[in-house]
Amino acid sequence: MPDLDFLDEPWFHRFVEVPLRAIIIIAFALVLRWVANRLIDRLISQAAKGAMPNAIAQTKAGAKIAERGEPAAQRRRQRAEATGSLLKSVATGIILTIAVVTILASFGIPVAPLLTSAGIVGVALGFGAQTLVKDFLAGISMMLEDQYGVGDVVDLGEAAGTVESVGLRVTRLRDVDGTVWYVRNGEILRVGNSSQNWARTVLDITVAYESDLDEAQRILHDVANEMYAEKAFEGVILEPPEVWGVERFDKDGVVIRVVLKTAPLEQWGVARAMRQRVKHRFDAAGIRIPVTMVPPGGY
């Protein structure tokens, strides 16, 4: 039987056993990192494909959105890739930290004081950076849920406008006046997004009380459907418009509501074109749009 007494020698433990153990730990960490990256890639791949809600996908609007969906799909892919990169970095950091601590322990270096010091520093940083951590966690959640992206028009409560930059800590958007707003993600309590899937133009047209309401509604119906049939608005107005009828009675006149389902970010342009055409048709038909008169000196 071979003599294995050398296994108990100090030199064997120091120069063979401990380095071999460190190599095994490193190899295991690399394999674990590879597995984690593969799982993250699979998760991100599914998120990048996205899915349109069935209630929308089964409509004509859903078909039009699918035809025009390349920009949204591109944004979704970019966001998924950014989130995947972040998750990979976090996973690599955790695995590397555990591997380093384990290797130090295998070399006989006491890690308890190191872990205690790290814990104390972590607690101190946690108390001092609660807001920062909150912002980062909110940013990660926002990205995973695809609440909004660059180019979307959103209302974040205190600020509303077009999103110019989305970060893990801060979202930057520019309002209609050109003012740039920087909003911390941790302070965003609600998000109103006017750019996802489809939008709606809602026009409340006021006509004088003496007007023929049936004629006014017929004109609104005709103007809206003429726009829907035009080549210029193909893919912009997604479904046949609807005249919902008399919405309310104001002191100035009767309010009639007409709605048009549009592609994202197109609702304002459609509304402006609709108003101009309605004004011309009302003038030709003798239907008056009442105007509240303001005294020369103002109120």
Side-chain angles (χ1 to χ4, degrees), residues 13-254:
H13 174 75
R14 176 177 299 178
F15 296 107
V16 179
E17 182 179 353
V18 173
L20 182 61
R21 188 181 303 170
I23 293 173
I24 294 174
I25 293 172
I26 294 173
F28 180 75
L30 292 175
V31 172
L32 187 61
R33 178 179 177 273
W34 179 82
V35 172
N37 287 347
R38 288 296 300 272
L39 292 175
I40 293 173
D41 286 338
R42 180 172 300 181
L43 176 65
I44 295 304
S45 176
Q46 294 176 354
K49 293 177 182 177
M52 189 181 299
N54 290 332
I56 299 175
Q58 297 174 359
T59 64
K60 185 175 180 180
K64 290 288 183 64
I65 293 169
E67 293 174 0
R68 307 173 76 255
E70 183 56 31
Q74 180 67 20
R75 189 196 76 183
R76 187 166 55 244
R77 285 194 296 270
Q78 292 174 350
R79 176 168 303 201
E81 290 171 359
T83 305
S85 177
L86 173 65
L87 293 177
K88 287 180 181 180
S89 299
V90 172
T92 300
I94 293 174
I95 294 172
L96 179 62
T97 301
I98 295 174
V100 170
V101 171
T102 306
I103 291 174
L104 291 177
S106 67
F107 275 99
I109 300 175
V111 295
L114 180 63
L115 294 177
T116 302
S117 301
I120 294 174
V121 173
V123 171
L125 290 176
F127 277 111
Q130 292 183 55
T131 302
L132 185 63
V133 173
K134 179 182 177 182
D135 292 341
F136 273 99
L137 292 178
I140 293 172
S141 299
M142 178 272 299
M143 285 189 175
L144 291 175
E145 295 168 3
D146 192 22
Q147 296 178 11
Y148 55 83
V150 175
D152 286 354
V153 176
V154 298
D155 182 350
L156 302 182
E158 294 297 328
T162 303
V163 178
E164 292 189 340
S165 175
V166 179
L168 288 178
R169 192 182 71 86
V170 171
T171 294
R172 187 179 78 234
L173 65 158
R174 187 182 300 271
D175 66 16
V176 68
D177 297 323
T179 303
V180 176
W181 294 86
Y182 294 87
V183 184
R184 286 173 32 216
N185 294 331
E187 296 298 319
I188 299 175
L189 301 180
R190 64 172 178 82
V191 177
N193 194 326
S194 302
S195 313
Q196 286 189 343
N197 293 328
W198 56 271
R200 176 176 281 156
T201 296
V202 179
L203 289 177
D204 288 340
I205 308 296
T206 304
V207 299
Y209 278 106
E210 64 271 15
S211 301
D212 185 340
L213 297 183
D214 292 333
E215 176 69 8
Q217 293 183 65
R218 185 189 63 78
I219 292 176
L220 291 175
H221 179 273
D222 291 347
V223 171
N225 280 276
E226 287 170 6
M227 289 179 59
Y228 175 65
E230 285 185 16
K231 188 72 174 177
F233 291 98
E234 182 179 357
V236 175
I237 303 177
L238 302 178
E239 291 183 355
E242 299 177 356
V243 178
W244 286 1
V246 176
E247 181 67 19
R248 64 184 181 273
F249 297 106
D250 282 349
K251 62 183 180 65
D252 297 323
V254 182

